[in-house]
Amino acid sequence: MGNCTVVVTGASGSCYGMRVIEQLVLAGHDVSAVFTDAGREVTALELGFDLPADDARVAAAALAAYLELPSAEKLRVAYPDAMFDAIASGSHRIDAMVVAPCSMGFVAAIANGLAADLPQRAADVMLKERRPLVLVPRETPLSLIHLRNLTAAAEAGAIIVPAMPGFYAKPESVDDLVNFVVGKVLDVLDVEHSLFKRWGS
Ligand SMILES: Cc1cc2nc3c(=O)[nH]c(=O)nc-3n(C[C@H](O)[C@H](O)[C@H](O)COP(=O)(O)O)c2cc1C
């Protein structure tokens, strides 16, 4: 891998997206982080992290500090209305994209090719270019519309990794549960990690 996009939407579970960003950067990848407007608000509510809204460099530095990354060098932030951003084009090489957590609204948008803002367009590009797009949906219960949209996204090539932690590893904390889901995301991207103990090892 190398260049990754991580989108944090307004579904509950901003901790998943935060950990994906942290782990990809620590594994040496360059990460473009995009928070939808709802994603920014839910992140502030759930984690107390308020992403600076008017300066992408300041936002990247604040995000790196929150994640306690050694530096902000591998991290950039793009805002959802930045339609001229590099990740909006298939000619810009993005090796993988993760949407974590992924709202049902976002699934609906990409299942129907809306491409109405930067993160939706970036996901649309990943599908048309046949590059890895991992969705971490979070909603319960799921309506038939949600299920159909998830199916359409999977048929178009998206990899669906639901925020459904397993319990066979005997989690002892919320962190363990988050690490299980994020570890599964990294597994499908072939990124080495030690976020959970593997069955049989
Ligand atoms: C506290 C809170 C929690 C939410 N949790 C979810 C959720 O788990 N799944 C979901 O699909 N939407 C959830 N929503 C609704 C989304 O934030 C909303 O549909 C939003 O428009 C999604 O926009 P986005 O896809 O651009 O982020 C939640 C909203 C709030 C305020």
Side-chain angles (χ1 to χ4, degrees):
M1 245 166 43
N3 273 333
C4 309
T5 302
V6 180
V7 173
V8 178
T9 75
S12 184
S14 0
C15 50
Y16 295 119
M18 288 296 210
R19 183 122 328 141
V20 172
I21 294 168
E22 172 204 83
Q23 289 294 309
L24 288 174
V25 169
L26 290 177
H29 303 287
D30 291 299
V31 174
S32 295
V34 189
F35 289 67
T36 66
D37 292 342
R40 200 161 54 77
E41 288 185 57
V42 173
T43 301
L45 173 85
E46 292 187 338
L47 302 179
F49 173 70
D50 216 341
L51 186 79
D54 49 11
D55 186 323
R57 279 176 196 272
V58 173
L63 185 54
Y66 177 82
L67 295 174
E68 298 181 3
L69 296 173
S71 85
E73 202 188 315
K74 309 288 278 178
L75 185 59
R76 63 186 283 271
V77 166
Y79 293 120
D81 62 350
M83 274 307 227
F84 281 59
D85 192 85
I87 64 171
S89 170
S91 67
H92 180 70
R93 189 82 214 175
I94 290 292
D95 300 295
M97 174 169 172
V98 179
V99 185
C102 184
S103 72
M104 291 303 112
F106 196 87
V107 176
I110 62 166
N112 291 280
L114 294 193
D117 61 13
L118 179 66
Q120 291 176 18
R121 167 65 185 166
D124 202 52
V125 166
M126 297 304 282
L127 293 179
K128 84 182 174 73
E129 301 289 341
R130 305 288 198 268
R131 295 182 194 144
L133 170 64
V134 181
L135 307 181
V136 183
R138 213 305 317 178
E139 187 50 279
T140 196
L142 293 166
S143 73
L144 183 58
I145 292 169
H146 299 150
L147 292 166
R148 285 201 169 123
N149 285 335
L150 284 163
T151 301
E155 284 171 344
I159 303 159
I160 314 294
V161 183
M164 291 179 180
F167 289 83
Y168 50 82
K170 299 194 169 52
E172 290 174 359
S173 64
V174 173
D175 239 28
D176 288 347
L177 297 171
V178 172
N179 284 346
F180 183 91
V181 172
V182 172
K184 287 293 201 174
V185 170
L186 299 178
D187 278 356
V188 300
L189 295 177
D190 254 339
V191 173
E192 288 285 325
H193 68 85
S194 51
L195 289 177
F196 55 70
K197 190 171 174 295
R198 294 187 186 279
W199 184 252
S201 65

